[in-house]
Tab-separated table of all heavy atoms in Angstrom:
chain	number	residue	atom	x	y	z
A	783	TYR	N	-8.839	19.151	4.926
A	783	TYR	CA	-9.858	19.029	3.910
A	783	TYR	C	-10.470	17.609	3.972
A	783	TYR	O	-9.782	16.643	4.270
A	783	TYR	CB	-9.272	19.250	2.491
A	783	TYR	CG	-8.982	20.686	2.237
A	783	TYR	CD1	-7.771	21.255	2.584
A	783	TYR	CD2	-9.972	21.496	1.665
A	783	TYR	CE1	-7.455	22.607	2.400
A	783	TYR	CE2	-9.693	22.869	1.475
A	783	TYR	CZ	-8.465	23.378	1.820
A	783	TYR	OH	-8.230	24.692	1.629
A	784	PHE	N	-11.777	17.547	3.738
A	784	PHE	CA	-12.452	16.320	3.750
A	784	PHE	C	-13.560	16.436	2.662
A	784	PHE	O	-14.353	17.376	2.684
A	784	PHE	CB	-13.078	15.982	5.089
A	784	PHE	CG	-13.907	14.689	5.088
A	784	PHE	CD1	-13.242	13.478	5.100
A	784	PHE	CD2	-15.274	14.735	5.192
A	784	PHE	CE1	-13.957	12.313	5.089
A	784	PHE	CE2	-15.979	13.561	5.174
A	784	PHE	CZ	-15.320	12.335	5.139
A	785	SER	N	-13.603	15.478	1.713
A	785	SER	CA	-14.564	15.479	0.715
A	785	SER	C	-14.623	16.819	-0.038
A	785	SER	O	-15.726	17.423	-0.232
A	785	SER	CB	-15.982	15.130	1.224
A	785	SER	OG	-15.967	13.757	1.668
A	786	GLU	N	-13.452	17.366	-0.376
A	786	GLU	CA	-13.273	18.577	-1.157
A	786	GLU	C	-13.668	19.823	-0.440
A	786	GLU	O	-13.722	20.940	-0.993
A	786	GLU	CB	-14.082	18.488	-2.486
A	786	GLU	CG	-13.682	17.321	-3.348
A	786	GLU	CD	-14.539	17.230	-4.613
A	786	GLU	OE1	-14.406	18.163	-5.436
A	786	GLU	OE2	-15.292	16.235	-4.741
A	787	THR	N	-13.966	19.729	0.883
A	787	THR	CA	-14.399	20.903	1.689
A	787	THR	C	-13.361	21.171	2.780
A	787	THR	O	-12.880	20.216	3.389
A	787	THR	CB	-15.770	20.680	2.304
A	787	THR	OG1	-16.704	20.377	1.250
A	787	THR	CG2	-16.220	21.879	3.126
A	788	GLN	N	-13.045	22.438	2.972
A	788	GLN	CA	-12.172	22.803	4.047
A	788	GLN	C	-12.927	22.592	5.377
A	788	GLN	O	-13.926	23.372	5.589
A	788	GLN	CB	-11.635	24.227	3.935
A	788	GLN	CG	-10.580	24.556	4.954
A	788	GLN	CD	-10.036	25.960	4.831
A	788	GLN	OE1	-10.594	26.959	5.343
A	788	GLN	NE2	-8.949	26.099	4.053
A	789	ARG	N	-12.496	21.757	6.171
A	789	ARG	CA	-13.181	21.443	7.393
A	789	ARG	C	-12.689	22.276	8.569
A	789	ARG	O	-13.445	22.570	9.521
A	789	ARG	CB	-13.004	19.974	7.736
A	789	ARG	CG	-13.792	19.462	8.918
A	789	ARG	CD	-13.542	18.009	9.124
A	789	ARG	NE	-14.158	17.602	10.418
A	789	ARG	CZ	-13.588	17.708	11.555
A	789	ARG	NH1	-12.367	18.210	11.687
A	789	ARG	NH2	-14.191	17.350	12.695
A	790	ASN	N	-11.414	22.658	8.494
A	790	ASN	CA	-10.832	23.369	9.655
A	790	ASN	C	-9.596	24.154	9.124
A	790	ASN	O	-8.976	23.797	8.149
A	790	ASN	CB	-10.303	22.383	10.650
A	790	ASN	CG	-10.518	22.869	12.059
A	790	ASN	OD1	-10.487	24.074	12.274
A	790	ASN	ND2	-10.635	21.957	13.014
A	791	LYS	N	-9.341	25.272	9.799
A	791	LYS	CA	-8.224	26.131	9.394
A	791	LYS	C	-7.451	26.581	10.590
A	791	LYS	O	-8.063	26.915	11.643
A	791	LYS	CB	-8.767	27.344	8.663
A	791	LYS	CG	-7.715	28.139	7.936
A	791	LYS	CD	-8.364	29.291	7.162
A	791	LYS	CE	-7.372	29.951	6.180
A	791	LYS	NZ	-6.124	30.416	6.791
A	792	GLY	N	-6.127	26.617	10.522
A	792	GLY	CA	-5.267	27.096	11.579
A	792	GLY	C	-5.108	28.624	11.498
A	792	GLY	O	-5.713	29.312	10.689
A	793	ASN	N	-4.249	29.089	12.387
A	793	ASN	CA	-4.046	30.556	12.530
A	793	ASN	C	-2.944	31.046	11.606
A	793	ASN	O	-1.898	31.481	12.042
A	793	ASN	CB	-3.728	30.849	13.961
A	793	ASN	CG	-3.757	32.364	14.216
A	793	ASN	OD1	-4.397	33.117	13.454
A	793	ASN	ND2	-3.031	32.798	15.216
A	794	PHE	N	-3.195	30.974	10.313
A	794	PHE	CA	-2.232	31.456	9.306
A	794	PHE	C	-2.861	32.534	8.460
A	794	PHE	O	-4.101	32.479	8.279
A	794	PHE	CB	-1.755	30.277	8.408
A	794	PHE	CG	-0.657	29.432	9.034
A	794	PHE	CD1	-0.938	28.433	9.951
A	794	PHE	CD2	0.663	29.646	8.730
A	794	PHE	CE1	0.011	27.696	10.558
A	794	PHE	CE2	1.675	28.897	9.315
A	794	PHE	CZ	1.366	27.962	10.188
A	795	PRO	N	-2.046	33.416	7.881
A	795	PRO	CA	-2.675	34.522	7.043
A	795	PRO	C	-3.279	33.940	5.779
A	795	PRO	O	-3.059	32.786	5.380
A	795	PRO	CB	-1.459	35.379	6.734
A	795	PRO	CG	-0.249	34.536	7.030
A	795	PRO	CD	-0.630	33.574	8.018
A	796	GLY	N	-4.070	34.763	5.113
A	796	GLY	CA	-4.838	34.371	3.938
A	796	GLY	C	-3.899	33.999	2.771
A	796	GLY	O	-4.399	33.458	1.787
A	797	ARG	N	-2.609	34.318	2.876
A	797	ARG	CA	-1.717	33.894	1.800
A	797	ARG	C	-1.558	32.408	1.654
A	797	ARG	O	-1.138	31.940	0.645
A	797	ARG	CB	-0.311	34.499	2.109
A	797	ARG	CG	-0.233	35.984	2.188
A	797	ARG	CD	1.217	36.460	2.390
A	797	ARG	NE	1.855	36.028	3.577
A	797	ARG	CZ	2.787	35.061	3.640
A	797	ARG	NH1	3.210	34.456	2.545
A	797	ARG	NH2	3.325	34.704	4.789
A	798	PHE	N	-1.950	31.730	2.687
A	798	PHE	CA	-1.916	30.258	2.728
A	798	PHE	C	-3.332	29.758	2.367
A	798	PHE	O	-4.316	30.076	2.999
A	798	PHE	CB	-1.531	29.714	4.111
A	798	PHE	CG	-0.112	30.019	4.482
A	798	PHE	CD1	0.255	31.326	4.945
A	798	PHE	CD2	0.889	29.057	4.337
A	798	PHE	CE1	1.603	31.545	5.302
A	798	PHE	CE2	2.222	29.357	4.667
A	798	PHE	CZ	2.534	30.591	5.126
A	799	SER	N	-3.398	29.001	1.316
A	799	SER	CA	-4.683	28.443	0.911
A	799	SER	C	-4.477	27.021	0.427
A	799	SER	O	-3.381	26.543	0.195
A	799	SER	CB	-5.296	29.304	-0.215
A	799	SER	OG	-4.473	29.245	-1.359
A	800	GLY	N	-5.623	26.327	0.287
A	800	GLY	CA	-5.524	24.934	-0.146
A	800	GLY	C	-6.774	24.546	-0.892
A	800	GLY	O	-7.755	25.308	-0.928
Side-chain angles (χ1 to χ4, degrees):
Chain A
Y783 286 88
F784 178 73
S785 294
E786 302 178 65
T787 301
Q788 186 179 86
R789 186 179 171 274
N790 216 333
K791 191 177 192 307
N793 189 25
F794 278 82
R797 299 185 297 107
F798 292 81
S799 63

